[in-house]
Amino acid sequence: MISSTEIKNQIGEYMNCEKILLVGEGDFSFSACLAKAFCSAKNMVATSLDTLDVLLRRYTSSESHLNELKTRGCLVLHEVNVHHMSQHPALKHMEFDVIVFNFPHAGHFCLNESNQTLIQMHKTLIRGFFRSGSKMLKEGGEIHVAHRDDNPYNKWG
């Protein structure tokens, strides 16, 4: 939360006075952008499924985003599975005003995005996220999911 000397700031749907959990962050560009806009990230926890080593190899831009987040006071966690995040040692006693999952994806396999098996994997991912995330919300809290609404993503149901 913000102290009385800090200014309340709102960026789109998000306010720096809210405790925000960002999951599945990929290269951490969204959380870093939010932290910059707020001028602080003390109210934020940003997570990825990847280990730090995998993240740094997969996304060349992630190192600068991680540095930005750490400099601004964000708690950054790796190897956080959205299915079990409510039981993660660093998260299990936390409650959040907002939990955000931008562009959830079950992974890149040798399957076309229209493949029914992959679509079912995406649905399972989202169900697990909602199940776990709902246990971590403060009263009146919100879960935000952003995803594409064109074909085949609009077939996720």
Side-chain angles (χ1 to χ4, degrees), residues 76-104:
V76 175
L77 302 171
H78 304 285
E79 299 181 77
V80 176
N81 184 318
V82 297
H83 292 275
H84 312 290
M85 64 188 179
S86 63
Q87 296 305 310
H88 187 280
L91 296 172
K92 67 181 176 181
H93 298 295
M94 292 186 185
E95 289 187 321
F96 296 92
D97 296 296
V98 182
I99 301 174
V100 182
F101 198 172
N102 286 315
F103 306 105

Side-chain angles (χ1 to χ4, degrees), residues 79-157:
E79 299 181 77
V80 176
N81 184 318
V82 297
H83 292 275
H84 312 290
M85 64 188 179
S86 63
Q87 296 305 310
H88 187 280
L91 296 172
K92 67 181 176 181
H93 298 295
M94 292 186 185
E95 289 187 321
F96 296 92
D97 296 296
V98 182
I99 301 174
V100 182
F101 198 172
N102 286 315
F103 306 105
H105 199 278
H108 296 281
F109 304 93
C110 294
L111 299 172
N112 180 292
E113 287 294 332
S114 297
N115 181 283
Q116 286 303 307
T117 301
L118 186 55
I119 289 173
Q120 285 304 315
M121 291 169 70
H122 293 319
K123 288 180 174 186
T124 300
L125 175 70
I126 297 298
R127 273 190 222 102
F129 165 67
F130 280 126
R131 195 173 297 118
S132 188
S134 65
K135 298 173 186 172
M136 304 172 72
L137 286 174
K138 292 180 179 178
E139 187 172 333
E142 298 179 353
I143 291 180
H144 296 184
V145 176
H147 75 91
R148 294 174 54 173
D149 62 358
D150 59 336
N151 192 37
Y153 306 97
N154 58 0
K155 303 219 181 328
W156 289 12

